[in-house]
Amino acid sequence: MRRFLCVAAVALVAVVPVTSNAQQPAPPPSTGGLTGGQVVALAIVAAAAAAIAWYAVAGTAAVTAGTAAAPVGLAELGAGAGGLGALEPIALPA
């Protein structure tokens, strides 16, 4: 009986088609627009352009901020106008 059930199960699996393994029809041809690779390339170029613009604006802001005075109360702690006080060594009174 056990052998018969094994043979029946194997035959059933062999006869019944599995839809996940069936060949899918080809997608229709594209009617225009961007492909997936083109969208990824566009996103990378846009991110690079945004980064370049950000550093250009931030660099300009740092140069113009270099002429400004430190905020009141922070000058004695060593905070410079460029906001780099955390990177500069300071000597605190004991």
Side-chain angles (χ1 to χ4, degrees):
M1 185 67 177
R2 181 182 280 170
R3 186 174 294 173
F4 174 74
L5 287 176
C6 287
V7 170
V10 170
L12 184 64
V13 169
V15 171
V16 176
V18 179
T19 57
S20 64
N21 292 335
Q23 185 175 2
Q24 300 295 322
S30 177
T31 59
L34 298 175
T35 64
Q38 290 172 332
V39 170
V40 170
L42 183 62
I44 291 171
V45 169
I52 291 170
W54 176 263
Y55 284 114
V57 170
T60 305
V63 169
T64 57
T67 60
V72 176
L74 295 179
E76 61 270 5
L77 294 177
L84 299 176
L87 300 177
E88 299 170 358
I90 59 171
L92 295 176

